[in-house]
Structures are given as structure tokens and as C-alpha cells.
Amino acid sequence: ETGVTQTPRHLVMGMTNKKSLKCEQHLGHNAMYWYKQSAKKPLELMFVYSLEERVENNSVPSRFSPECPNSSHLFLHLHTLQPEDSALYLCASSQESAGLVTNEKLFFGSGTQLSVL
Amino acid sequence: AQKITQTQPGMFVQEKEAVTLDCTYDTSDPSYGLFWYKQPSSGEMIFLIYQGSYDQQNATEGRYSLNFQKARKSANLVISASQLGDSAMYFCAMREGPYFGNEKLTFGTGTRLTIIP
């Protein structure tokens, strides 16, 4: 069983809908991430939360809105999406240390496969 | 310019044979980390192996080893004695510099490996 759980596994929504993706990590990590995975493209980092504060927003459209109420939970709120937003959305967590290191690995959930009609 | 290049979109390998998945990277930072992740059809990205830029020896983790050639900026993944369960997408990733978190982690486009019985 993975330490990072994402729900739902699959989501189909119309362009006018509002939905939310949920991620929960059971690993005691202090950082959480949202990634977008589209076919034949590298993973795109959308949001990073470290110690529940957002530290990175890679110019993601405002129709995606993240929320991190505590270090174990991460949400991605979706509003008026476009068909090109259809993709696999992956949540990940890691334990970031204060030292000068490069080896903190990510632990991923199984993703939410999103289809926007 | 792409920071991570995986030139093999797909590979077919006979079961029990060894397989090498190519990865080249581009960075001017002397301190960086290289990762390989496996993504089976279930969607979850699974960490396989890590190589730090200052590591003197090539990393090994069970059947996985990393052929790290720093001067050539390549970090190929070698899987020995391939198994049917190795069929998956494989992603190479790089984390630049010790001063940043995983917001500076860059992924390649991946290689789809299929093991033939």
C-alpha cells in the first residue's frame, strides 16, 4: 500500500463543473507537490508546499487552485477547466532537510486521471 | 534546451536479458542529483535509484545500477536479468543544486520498456 493516497482515481468533468482532487500522505513528510502528466511530455510541476506554505507556483492557470490545510493533506480545486487540461494529476511528498543535499526522493500517489469534456 | 533527454521512447527486451535505458542531462551546477523512477500501468511513480554528482562510485540497488559518466553527462539505468514485472515507463530526473528543494527537479519524457516472455 502506497504511503500517498489520491482520490478519486478517475474523474470526468464538464468545462463548467467544479471539482476537487484530494491527496493524503501517511509518511510524516514536510513537503507536498502537484504534478501534471500529459502524454509524451515531461512531468510538469504545478505547485509545491513546504511546511504547509506554498513555495512554488509555476505559472499555473488560476482555474487550478491548491489548498494545503496541514502537512498530511493537499487538495487541487478545479474550476472551468479546458479540454487540454485532461491529464494524469500526480501528488507527491518528500522529507526536505535543511541541509545542502540533493537526494530527497519523491513518493508519489497513483494519480487522478482527469478527462475534461 | 531540455535538461533531461531520454532518446528511447520505447524498448522491447527479452525476459532475463539485461537492458540499458539512456539518459543525458544538462546542467552547469556542480552539485546535482540524478534519479530514476518507474511508472507501471497503475500510475504510481516508484523511486528506483539515486546518483549524486559527487559520488565516486556508480549507484546500485538490487538489479538496478546506474552507469554514471559525468564527463559525458549521462546517467543510464541498467536493469539486469529483466523480469516481466519490469514492463513500465521509466523516467530519468535531475535535481540541481543543494540550495533548492524538489521544485528544481526536472523529468525526462520517459522510456516505455516492454519485457517479452
Side-chain angles (χ1 to χ4, degrees), chain A residues 2 9 33 35 37 40 42-43 45 48 56 88 90 94 96 99-106 108-110, chain B residues 31-33 35 37 39 42-45 47 50 52 91 95 97-105 107-109:
Chain A
T2 177
R9 288 298 309 274
Y33 312 78
Y35 281 90
Q37 185 177 23
K40 299 183 180 180
L43 260 70
L45 178 63
V48 179
E56 182 81 2
L88 180 67
L90 289 164
S94 68
E96 296 295 305
L100 302 179
V101 294
T102 59
N103 63 348
E104 283 99 350
K105 58 183 180 280
L106 293 171
F108 285 86
S110 298
Chain B
S31 178
Y32 53 89
F35 301 79
Y37 287 87
Q39 186 179 38
S42 60
E44 179 190 355
M45 300 269 281
F47 166 77
Y50 164 83
F91 293 92
R95 175 169 163 165
Y99 308 104
F100 307 105
N102 274 310
E103 63 266 26
K104 296 301 181 186
L105 185 67
F107 285 84
T109 52

Side-chain angles (χ1 to χ4, degrees), chain A residues 37-88:
Chain A
Q37 185 177 23
S38 304
K40 299 183 180 180
K41 293 176 68 176
L43 260 70
E44 300 173 52
L45 178 63
M46 301 177 72
F47 301 102
V48 179
Y49 277 83
S50 181
L51 299 173
E52 301 159 42
E53 288 191 8
R54 191 162 75 190
V55 298
E56 182 81 2
N57 174 357
N58 287 329
S59 302
V60 177
S62 59
R63 56 186 183 268
F64 295 92
S65 174
E67 179 190 0
C68 187
N70 54 61
S71 60
S72 299
H73 294 86
L74 185 65
F75 295 89
L76 187 62
H77 302 300
L78 315 173
H79 174 55
T80 58
L81 295 190
Q82 304 298 309
E84 60 264 29
D85 296 323
S86 298
L88 180 67

